Amino acid sequence: MTPPPAVVRVAVPKPLPQLFDYALPAGAPVPAAGGRVRVPFGRQTLTGICVAVDPPDPHPDPRPLERVLDAGNVLGDDLLALSHWLADYYHHPLGETLGTVLPAGARRGEALAIRRDTVWRLTDAVPDLDRAPKQQALVDHLRAAGGAALPADLEAAGFSAAVIRGLAAKGALVRSETTAPAGAVVRGSGPELSDEQAQVLKALSTGLGRFDPVLLEGVTGSGKTEVYLRLIEQVRGAGRQVLVLVPEIALTPQTLRRFERRFGAVAAIHSGLTDAQRLDVWLRCRAGEVGILIGTRSAVLTPFRDLGLIVVDEEHDGSFKQQDGLRYSARDVAVKRAQGLGIPLLLGSATPSLESLHNAAAGRYRHLHLHRRAGGAEMPGFNLIDIRGHTLSEGISVPLEKIMRRHLDAGGQALVFLNRRGFAPTYLCAACGWQAECPDCDMRMTLHRRPEGLTCHHCGRRARLPRDCPGCGRPELMAVGIGTQRTEAGLEALFPDVPCYRIDRDTTRSHRRLEAQLAAIRGGEPAILVGTQMLAKGHHFPNVTLVAVINADGGFLSADFRAPERTAQLIIQVAGRAGRAERPGEVWIQTYQPDNPTLRSLIDDGYPGFAARELEHRRAAGLPPFRPMALVRAEAANAEPAQAFLQSVRERLAAAPGVELLGPAAAPIPRVANRLRFQLMLLADARAPLHRALRLLTGEGPGPRGVRWSVDVDPYDTF
Ligand code: ADP
Ligand code: ZN
Ligand code: ZN
């Protein structure tokens, strides 16, 4: 008989490169790789993940392990393998990587059992309730809630136990578990597909059951979502699970309802969930009880019993990239995951990332197109307003005002887009030139009205608005530049009889308020919508006939290499809100640079023309997606140690072949929250040399005292 295993190698959730060995106490179950264990660590007790049992070269004198929480692999084979890949690809400690993959509840060591709340669910046998208005009200309430509700929620809504019992006695109501069976519930049927949609669906159907990455490039409103729904129907019909990734902003109740109308219950993961709710969804996906999961970035790290398809909607969106900790791109992880599972992957966008276009051109993805809008709506026409020499009224030129009036008089809605919230980005003294700057960041503070004050959009610091100049004492302070609040005020003055809705991060902190605004807009009466990129994504505003972009230039001039791509995507996406129903739409872009070649290519040739041109620039400049990039960032309270650390990293990497090193240099925003930031950029001829170079830093550990450093592979921005 072989002796029982003695040593367990464990990844602990700490920013340390190494794994730790522990002795398995006599009688404890032997954990599988992927099982959770409680281990002593320094003076703490941590939840780690077993990586191997009886590893080679075990520690000669390991500390005893405290407790084995799971004998089995809690992540499943594919997610465990993916975690190893994540740690390796993003050069992040395995323990911290696993800590990111596990939901908080599991990380704390809680038992992984699915909660079985019971709900009251309507049956198909609701009798005539004309003479029982309270019971009828309960039926209406439940129908509005999707057919079921928790007892506590019904109580909170004012339904007494007697009313509930009465309705249950009539057979109209039963108690059931919250978890809807994952059966292929197909409720609605959706519109008849256009020829283009039908062709795309047919092409997609041929890829089911194998790794088949597809880039679906379809103009705004071309019915991409409808195609997703049909493909999902097929996968669900085969009894398999589906994961749909959407950008942070797109997970509105509107999106969820669209899926629910078609499929009945769907599960969702977003930032609004409690830890317990998140763990519950995680467990039910793992158990195969969830048929369709819609979620933002982190949903790509959910275990599934039998995943059959991954859809990434708006695949170009920056919110798929995590900006701290494990800096993964959910889109890229989705590709890896689909490959590992041998399942299709659908990347959809009207404005695909240059990465995905490049992958498609290189033959790594199939590239399918939807050129026309679904349901017969026309694509809006693009026009420029040359505002050189014009006086603007809170950002609005006289020609634009006239165009707006024409659309509003004709019963349409006008959407005014600018990418800056607040009232004005600069508050300065006309006498001495003093500017309101954040004391902790190298950034100007933004002036806000209602509530009035100065806010730093980088660290969140707020300050009172000085009346007299802190520099010279004179009362000559003025707001310079425009933000959404200022434009809103200007529009209210220009169009006093037209309701104006502002949609930006300041007005949409509550889902409820956003929903109310969106409902008013969908009402369709003439109205002005003013806002930031929150207006650009996902929303369907059937009555918007005019989209105005009032300050497009800044985005094309920024120093970040992705800024033109991001700006073009934003313009096309926001323009895509125009003319989505019967009325045709127009897009007007105010610019001081009507001959800017980047802007021109976008206007004249559309996004594909812009993208082709921009890809050529990237190729010529040796930038991604032609050469992979990584950043090593370091920050500290003082410049010297952070800079010295990066200099030492540079010296270590200097010998690595096939890698170009740039820096260390100050980050484009050199100081945020009172910490000085530096970065070293790596550009490589191919993936392999990049990773070989970064591997030289494994084992580096937390770095010198006071310095925080991190590696960002495939950075989304270089700030
Ligand atoms: P996208 O995801 O490309 O923006 P959607 O799928 O949201 O496009 O479709 C845009 C609008 O067109 C929606 O209101 C949708 O209901 C409608 N639509 C989609 N496909 C069709 C179709 N085949 N016939 C009629 N209307 C359609
Ligand atoms: Zn002054
Ligand atoms: Zn600040």
Side-chain angles (χ1 to χ4, degrees):
M1 224 178 86
T2 48
V7 173
V8 178
R9 186 155 288 171
V10 176
V12 297
K14 286 281 170 191
L16 299 167
Q18 58 282 60
L19 302 171
F20 296 87
D21 287 350
Y22 290 91
L24 194 66
V30 181
R36 293 174 307 157
V37 292
R38 294 285 287 172
V39 295
F41 193 84
R43 294 202 199 146
Q44 295 173 288
T45 303
L46 300 175
T47 305
I49 295 277
C50 166
V51 173
V53 174
D54 275 346
D57 300 321
H59 192 285
D61 182 24
R63 289 176 79 176
L65 182 153
E66 213 158 86
R67 199 150 61 89
V68 174
L69 294 174
D70 323 283
N73 171 2
V74 297
L75 298 172
D77 292 341
D78 102 282
L79 198 51
L80 183 61
L82 190 75
S83 304
H84 280 277
W85 178 83
L86 283 165
D88 194 52
Y89 185 89
Y90 291 106
H91 297 269
H92 199 67
L94 181 63
E96 274 201 328
T97 303
L98 287 162
T100 308
V101 171
L102 284 175
R107 220 154 50 219
R108 281 194 298 265
E110 286 167 21
L112 299 182
I114 298 174
R115 278 186 309 143
R116 300 285 177 192
D117 290 339
T118 57
V119 293
W120 285 109
R121 186 179 296 283
L122 281 178
T123 67
D124 292 334
V126 178
D128 184 12
L129 294 170
D130 278 356
R131 293 166 59 194
K134 283 185 183 162
Q135 292 182 359
Q136 183 63 51
L138 175 54
V139 168
D140 294 343
H141 180 86
L142 283 165
R143 284 203 175 122
L150 289 165
D153 291 345
L154 291 182
E155 196 183 316
F159 296 103
S160 71
V163 172
I164 295 170
R165 265 200 315 275
L167 197 58
K170 291 178 182 166
L173 206 57
V174 291
R175 267 188 179 271
S176 80
E177 282 183 354
T178 40
T179 46
V185 203
V186 179
R187 285 192 176 167
S189 49
E192 196 181 326
L193 293 186
S194 68
D195 287 350
E196 254 192 343
Q197 283 172 313
Q199 272 172 22
V200 165
L201 181 65
K202 200 166 148 216
L204 291 171
S205 308
T206 63
L208 295 183
R210 62 181 163 88
F211 175 52
D212 177 35
V214 177
L215 175 61
L216 174 57
E217 181 172 3
V219 298
T220 50
S222 59
K224 293 183 290 298
T225 310
E226 190 55 43
V227 171
Y228 306 157
L229 292 171
R230 297 299 172 98
L231 188 67
I232 291 170
E233 222 170 274
Q234 297 184 5
V235 176
R236 293 294 303 130
R240 307 191 73 184
Q241 293 169 285
V242 176
L243 169 63
V244 181
L245 297 175
V246 296
E248 216 70 69
I249 195 86
L251 194 52
T252 57
Q254 207 183 346
T255 316
L256 267 182
R257 274 199 297 269
R258 186 159 174 198
F259 277 79
E260 279 168 354
R261 270 202 304 277
R262 197 65 65 86
F263 296 107
V266 298
I269 286 190
H270 52 86
S271 52
L273 294 187
T274 64
D275 286 354
Q277 288 170 326
R278 188 177 287 260
L279 181 60
D280 190 57
V281 173
W282 196 86
L283 291 170
R284 291 193 296 113
C285 287
R286 191 178 71 160
E289 289 181 7
V290 168
I292 300 171
L293 176 67
I294 305 184
T296 48
R297 185 173 61 228
S298 67
V300 78
L301 304 176
T302 308
F304 289 91
R305 201 180 51 129
D306 183 21
L307 191 59
L309 168 70
I310 306 178
V311 177
V312 184
D313 189 25
E314 310 290 1
E315 66 87 31
H316 64 278
D317 196 276
S319 72
F320 287 125
K321 173 82 174 172
Q322 168 112 348
Q323 302 282 17
D324 56 12
L326 175 66
R327 292 173 154 82
Y328 66 99
S329 151
R331 177 197 59 215
D332 297 348
V333 175
V335 178
K336 187 69 199 170
R337 196 153 185 208
Q339 186 178 30
L341 289 169
I343 60 171
L345 167 80
L346 181 52
L347 304 172
S349 177
T351 53
S353 62
L354 298 188
E355 272 71 15
S356 294
L357 287 171
H358 180 62
N359 279 327
R364 286 188 282 271
Y365 302 162
R366 288 202 283 159
H367 196 172
L368 302 178
H369 296 269
L370 289 171
H371 297 103
R372 280 176 294 280
R373 282 191 156 173
E378 290 291 317
M379 285 302 281
F382 275 82
N383 311 274
L384 292 182
I385 306 176
D386 180 354
I387 49 172
R388 284 174 296 181
H390 280 245
T391 349
L392 304 183
S393 155
E394 314 300 26
I396 310 288
S397 65
V398 174
L400 179 58
E401 184 197 334
K402 290 206 178 104
I403 294 164
M404 287 183 70
R405 214 171 282 287
R406 170 159 60 76
H407 280 263
L408 295 167
D409 288 347
Q413 296 176 334
L415 186 159
V416 176
F417 168 78
L418 75 163
N419 211 7
R420 200 182 274 134
R421 66 195 169 90
F423 186 82
T426 307
Y427 193 50
L428 63 74
C429 172
C432 77
W434 174 91
Q435 289 188 12
E437 280 175 0
C438 176
D440 296 338
C441 306
D442 289 329
M443 288 301 294
R444 290 191 296 253
M445 291 182 99
T446 301
L447 173 63
H448 283 250
R449 292 267 160 86
R450 284 178 293 152
E452 190 177 80
L454 294 163
T455 306
C456 172
H457 286 182
H458 284 269
C459 70
R461 189 185 172 108
R462 284 155 198 266
R464 292 239 311 273
L465 203 63
R467 290 281 154 235
D468 301 323
C469 173
C472 68
R474 274 174 281 186
E476 307 212 12
L477 293 170
M478 59 183 198
V480 176
I482 52 161
T484 46
Q485 292 183 351
R486 189 167 197 169
T487 299
E488 178 191 28
L491 289 167
E492 279 169 352
L494 286 174
F495 302 96
D497 302 329
V498 184
C500 186
Y501 303 99
R502 174 161 59 90
I503 296 188
D504 58 28
R505 198 136 49 84
D506 296 316
T507 63
T508 55
R509 281 185 216 282
S510 101
H511 258 316
R512 194 171 295 222
R513 173 151 177 205
L514 175 62
E515 277 297 288
Q517 282 183 320
L518 294 177
I521 293 162
R522 277 197 298 272
E525 292 299 306
I528 299 170
L529 291 59
V530 53
T532 58
Q533 70 221 46
M534 301 199 87
L535 282 171
K537 298 179 190 173
H539 299 296
H540 189 59
F541 301 123
N543 240 347
V544 166
T545 57
L546 168 67
V547 165
V549 180
I550 64 173
N551 62 347
D553 298 333
F556 288 119
L557 301 173
S558 158
D560 190 73
F561 78 97
R562 277 189 219 277
E565 177 186 358
R566 268 199 296 266
T567 306
Q569 287 165 344
L570 256 178
I571 290 178
I572 296 291
Q573 293 286 348
V574 75
R577 305 308 114 198
R580 288 170 76 96
E582 305 80 50
R583 299 152 176 267
E586 281 185 324
V587 180
W588 288 86
I589 298 173
Q590 294 192 149
T591 177
Y592 287 108
Q593 299 195 312
D595 300 320
N596 178 315
T598 314
L599 181 59
R600 280 247 73 101
S601 74
L602 188 64
I603 304 302
D604 298 340
D605 312 322
Y607 188 78
F610 160 83
R613 195 187 131 87
E614 190 63 16
L615 273 167
E616 263 327 299
H617 277 307
R618 298 270 192 94
R619 184 200 299 276
L623 287 166
F626 296 94
R627 290 163 87 213
M629 178 189 281
L631 287 179
V632 183
R633 294 192 175 90
E635 54 163 76
N638 301 304
E640 201 278 325
Q643 240 172 338
F645 172 74
L646 286 184
Q647 191 56 43
S648 76
V649 168
R650 185 188 167 113
E651 278 151 27
R652 197 127 26 110
L653 299 186
V659 177
E660 183 187 357
L661 299 170
L662 300 161
I669 302 171
R671 191 172 55 109
V672 170
N674 242 341
R675 296 184 60 88
L676 293 154
R677 311 153 85 229
F678 295 86
Q679 57 193 28
L680 175 68
M681 187 181 284
L682 286 70
L683 280 164
D685 302 336
R687 289 261 155 220
L690 184 78
H691 286 288
R692 263 199 302 277
L694 288 172
R695 232 164 265 135
L696 295 173
L697 303 178
T698 321
E700 178 60 42
R705 243 183 106 78
V707 176
R708 264 209 306 262
W709 76 283
S710 60
V711 174
D712 191 351
V713 178
D714 309 326
Y716 181 68
D717 58 39
T718 51
F719 296 127

Short mmCIF file of all heavy atoms in Angstrom, two decimals, residues 438 440-441 443 456 458-461 673, ligand 3:
data_model
loop_
_atom_site.label_atom_id
_atom_site.label_comp_id
_atom_site.label_asym_id
_atom_site.label_seq_id
_atom_site.Cartn_x
_atom_site.Cartn_y
_atom_site.Cartn_z
N CYS A 438 -5.69 69.91 -8.75
CA CYS A 438 -5.79 68.99 -7.63
C CYS A 438 -4.47 68.98 -6.88
O CYS A 438 -3.43 68.80 -7.49
CB CYS A 438 -6.13 67.58 -8.13
SG CYS A 438 -6.15 66.38 -6.79
N ASP A 440 -3.32 66.75 -5.14
CA ASP A 440 -2.74 65.41 -5.09
C ASP A 440 -2.39 64.85 -6.46
O ASP A 440 -1.77 63.78 -6.55
CB ASP A 440 -3.70 64.43 -4.40
CG ASP A 440 -3.93 64.82 -2.95
OD1 ASP A 440 -3.06 65.54 -2.40
OD2 ASP A 440 -4.95 64.43 -2.39
N CYS A 441 -2.87 65.48 -7.53
CA CYS A 441 -2.63 64.95 -8.87
C CYS A 441 -2.11 66.07 -9.75
O CYS A 441 -2.36 67.23 -9.49
CB CYS A 441 -3.92 64.41 -9.50
SG CYS A 441 -4.80 63.21 -8.50
N MET A 443 -3.32 67.38 -12.24
CA MET A 443 -4.51 67.51 -13.07
C MET A 443 -5.31 68.73 -12.65
O MET A 443 -5.37 69.05 -11.46
CB MET A 443 -5.44 66.29 -12.88
CG MET A 443 -4.94 65.01 -13.50
SD MET A 443 -4.67 65.17 -15.27
CE MET A 443 -6.34 65.43 -15.83
N CYS A 456 -11.75 66.51 -8.62
CA CYS A 456 -10.69 65.91 -9.41
C CYS A 456 -11.23 64.60 -9.99
O CYS A 456 -11.62 63.71 -9.24
CB CYS A 456 -9.46 65.63 -8.55
SG CYS A 456 -8.21 64.66 -9.43
N HIS A 458 -9.66 62.34 -11.33
CA HIS A 458 -8.72 61.22 -11.24
C HIS A 458 -8.69 60.58 -9.88
O HIS A 458 -8.65 59.37 -9.75
CB HIS A 458 -7.32 61.66 -11.66
CG HIS A 458 -7.25 61.78 -13.14
ND1 HIS A 458 -6.87 60.74 -13.93
CD2 HIS A 458 -7.61 62.80 -13.96
CE1 HIS A 458 -6.98 61.11 -15.21
NE2 HIS A 458 -7.43 62.35 -15.24
N CYS A 459 -8.72 61.39 -8.82
CA CYS A 459 -8.67 60.79 -7.49
C CYS A 459 -9.97 61.02 -6.72
O CYS A 459 -10.14 60.49 -5.63
CB CYS A 459 -7.48 61.33 -6.69
SG CYS A 459 -7.68 63.04 -6.21
N GLY A 460 -10.89 61.81 -7.28
CA GLY A 460 -12.18 62.01 -6.62
C GLY A 460 -12.17 63.10 -5.57
O GLY A 460 -13.20 63.37 -4.95
N ARG A 461 -11.03 63.75 -5.36
CA ARG A 461 -10.96 64.79 -4.33
C ARG A 461 -11.90 65.95 -4.67
O ARG A 461 -12.05 66.34 -5.81
CB ARG A 461 -9.53 65.30 -4.25
CG ARG A 461 -9.29 66.22 -3.09
CD ARG A 461 -7.87 66.76 -3.17
NE ARG A 461 -7.69 67.78 -2.17
CZ ARG A 461 -6.96 67.63 -1.07
NH1 ARG A 461 -6.31 66.51 -0.88
NH2 ARG A 461 -6.87 68.59 -0.19
N ALA A 673 -3.23 61.06 -6.92
CA ALA A 673 -3.42 60.79 -5.50
C ALA A 673 -2.08 60.86 -4.76
O ALA A 673 -1.78 60.03 -3.89
CB ALA A 673 -4.09 59.44 -5.28
ZN ZN B 3 -6.72 64.32 -7.76
#
